[in-house]
Amino acid sequence: MTAGTKSLWIVRSVVSVVLIVVVAAIAAPTGALAEDRRGDFYSAFKDRTFWLKSRYRYEYVDQAGLPKDARASTLTGNVGVESGLFYGFRAGVEGEFVLNIGPDDFNNTINGKTEYPVVADVQSIEFDQAYIKSYHIPGVVLLGGRYLKNLDNMRYVGSVAWRQNDQTFDGATADITAIPGVTGFYAYMGNVNRIFSDESPVGNMRTNVHLFHAQSKELPIGTLTGYAYLMDLYDLPGQSNASYGGFLKGEQDLGRGLSFKYRLEYARQTNYGNQPVDYAVNYLRVAPGLSWHGLTTTLIYELLGSDNNIAAFQTPLATGHIFNGFADVFLVTPTAGLQDFYVDVVYELPRIEGPLSFVNGLKLIGQYHEFRSDVGGIDFGSEFDFYAILPLPDGFYTQFKYANFRQADALPTTSSREKVIFGLGYQY
């Protein structure tokens, strides 16, 4: 991070906190705050929340067109604390580190090892979060500073938690529960701390992002959500956009342990801010599924539309790894757009007693994808994915992931790839 970028972040953070204090002071009732909302130094310390997590990962990537295979051995750790309530405020801070502790034969995006496939885990030490929350307005929680946010299914905004370095945001948020039957959320982002670390020239992205989000209470048909996401990305203008949409998500009990799950989502995206291209495209996600005794099978169709092969639907702040295949081929949507037809099978093992009880909590996921363009009838290829995660005693867990993408003739020869990933983690 350059000195100018650091100064800009500090100014924005201070401004955000000052705004929160001013708004809270205006909104607070005259006289002393109620004792149960005020707290004191002792309760702020006594009621603190502490968290610790760490994860070792070994990632192997064999990618067509590159002379060497990637082998990355990395360790990440996060330590954070949030205070108890103190005069209507809470404060939180979290630090994170990423270390290479074994083979580093991989392209981490800034080490110049371009003969290897990319594994975007850069050795770094950073502050992930540093914020103040205000509870002075009934039904509204305000936050200012650096924060982490996973919004809905993370299709638009997420922390990219699969990578070792989290994506976080500098700005302010408001969580609103004051309106009966509706929960609201607003966020402003003046800077994005990307997964590539402060050492990367693209590790920080200056932005002017406004997120508006509202969700209904549980209705007989499920929950309804509407959103407007306005993203002006100064350092990545070609992906600036405005997306307006909503979705219905629900589950219906069919009896005898069988349930029907569904998600139907539509959005319209247009150019916004510094985007140099004038375009308008559609997004569609249809995901009906059946669940029975821990087994859930979902058939999914996702469309990221194209405007005459000029521009396509983009989600530059998403946790892209969980969409369109674990091989990460389509983190940026091709200009011809993308249609993803896939089946997702999830099985959560029921509780077992006896000598096999060590597998209790095991979760298995399998996916098969067929990829096509939105315009031009292009066959991009297919992918098979598998993921397993097993909780272990005392907060530990182990995970395994496999991804195999096979390109069609339409994509460059460097697209086909195979990934094998093993991880061992701890969370407190």
Side-chain angles (χ1 to χ4, degrees), residues 61-81:
V61 185
D62 177 5
Q63 184 169 330
L66 295 178
K68 297 182 180 180
D69 299 337
R71 293 172 174 84
S73 178
T74 57
L75 177 71
T76 184
N78 298 66
V79 180
V81 63

Side-chain angles (χ1 to χ4, degrees), residues 162-298:
W162 176 250
R163 298 263 50 103
Q164 299 288 60
N165 184 19
D166 290 330
Q167 175 173 268
T168 60
F169 311 100
D170 300 335
T173 71
D175 286 281
I176 305 165
T177 57
I179 305 172
V182 178
T183 58
F185 176 75
Y186 165 78
Y188 164 74
M189 300 170 180
N191 185 72
V192 178
N193 309 288
R194 306 176 76 195
I195 64 172
F196 309 107
S197 87
D198 290 340
E199 299 302 316
S200 171
V202 296
N204 287 266
M205 181 166 59
R206 296 174 302 120
T207 63
N208 181 21
V209 172
H210 301 271
L211 309 177
F212 302 89
H213 180 277
Q215 180 176 297
S216 75
K217 66 178 182 180
E218 186 71 29
L219 303 171
I221 59 172
T223 56
L224 291 169
T225 299
Y227 54 78
Y229 303 144
L230 313 178
M231 301 184 181
D232 192 4
L233 312 180
Y234 299 141
D235 297 324
L236 199 63
Q239 296 220 359
S240 295
N241 67 79
S243 300
Y244 309 90
F247 61 88
L248 168 67
K249 180 182 179 182
E251 181 176 356
Q252 302 295 329
D253 186 4
L254 302 180
R256 298 189 177 184
L258 185 66
S259 63
F260 175 57
K261 299 182 177 183
Y262 47 91
R263 182 187 182 104
L264 178 61
E265 182 170 3
Y266 172 78
R268 182 75 167 171
Q269 185 176 97
T270 63
N271 52 289
Y272 179 75
N274 290 309
Q275 169 64 248
V277 178
D278 185 4
Y279 76 99
V281 293
N282 297 318
Y283 174 81
L284 181 64
R285 185 179 181 88
V286 181
L290 290 174
S291 183
W292 181 75
H293 295 294
L295 177 65
T296 301
T297 302
T298 309

Side-chain angles (χ1 to χ4, degrees), residues 31-246:
L33 292 171
E35 191 68 26
D36 62 339
R37 291 173 53 197
R38 185 179 65 182
D40 54 24
F41 279 111
Y42 174 72
S43 64
F45 176 78
K46 178 176 67 71
D47 298 333
R48 71 194 183 282
T49 301
F50 174 81
W51 61 93
L52 169 67
K53 58 182 181 179
S54 183
R55 178 177 59 199
Y56 167 78
R57 184 160 65 211
Y58 179 84
E59 183 165 346
Y60 167 84
V61 185
D62 177 5
Q63 184 169 330
L66 295 178
K68 297 182 180 180
D69 299 337
R71 293 172 174 84
S73 178
T74 57
L75 177 71
T76 184
N78 298 66
V79 180
V81 63
E82 183 178 270
S83 73
L85 200 63
F86 178 72
Y87 288 89
F89 292 98
R90 296 182 192 272
V93 64
E94 179 185 33
E96 179 184 64
F97 69 83
V98 180
L99 297 176
N100 296 332
I101 61 170
D104 61 353
D105 298 328
F106 63 99
N107 179 5
N108 70 6
T109 71
I110 65 173
N111 60 6
K113 296 184 177 182
T114 55
E115 69 272 27
Y116 295 97
V118 170
V119 178
D121 292 328
V122 181
Q123 185 163 278
S124 60
I125 299 177
E126 298 179 0
F127 277 105
D128 254 11
Q129 302 191 76
Y131 58 81
I132 294 178
K133 292 181 181 178
S134 166
Y135 296 80
H136 293 82
I137 304 175
V140 180
V141 178
L142 301 174
L143 177 150
R146 174 168 294 184
Y147 61 92
L148 181 151
K149 184 64 181 179
N150 290 313
L151 189 57
D152 282 331
N153 65 351
M154 297 177 279
R155 196 2 142 183
Y156 291 91
V157 175
S159 64
V160 197
W162 176 250
R163 298 263 50 103
Q164 299 288 60
N165 184 19
D166 290 330
Q167 175 173 268
T168 60
F169 311 100
D170 300 335
T173 71
D175 286 281
I176 305 165
T177 57
I179 305 172
V182 178
T183 58
F185 176 75
Y186 165 78
Y188 164 74
M189 300 170 180
N191 185 72
V192 178
N193 309 288
R194 306 176 76 195
I195 64 172
F196 309 107
S197 87
D198 290 340
E199 299 302 316
S200 171
V202 296
N204 287 266
M205 181 166 59
R206 296 174 302 120
T207 63
N208 181 21
V209 172
H210 301 271
L211 309 177
F212 302 89
H213 180 277
Q215 180 176 297
S216 75
K217 66 178 182 180
E218 186 71 29
L219 303 171
I221 59 172
T223 56
L224 291 169
T225 299
Y227 54 78
Y229 303 144
L230 313 178
M231 301 184 181
D232 192 4
L233 312 180
Y234 299 141
D235 297 324
L236 199 63
Q239 296 220 359
S240 295
N241 67 79
S243 300
Y244 309 90

Side-chain angles (χ1 to χ4, degrees), residues 349-361 393:
L349 199 69
R351 184 167 184 82
I352 298 174
E353 302 295 339
L356 295 179
S357 61
F358 69 92
V359 297
N360 282 334

Side-chain angles (χ1 to χ4, degrees), residues 39 334 422:
F422 168 78

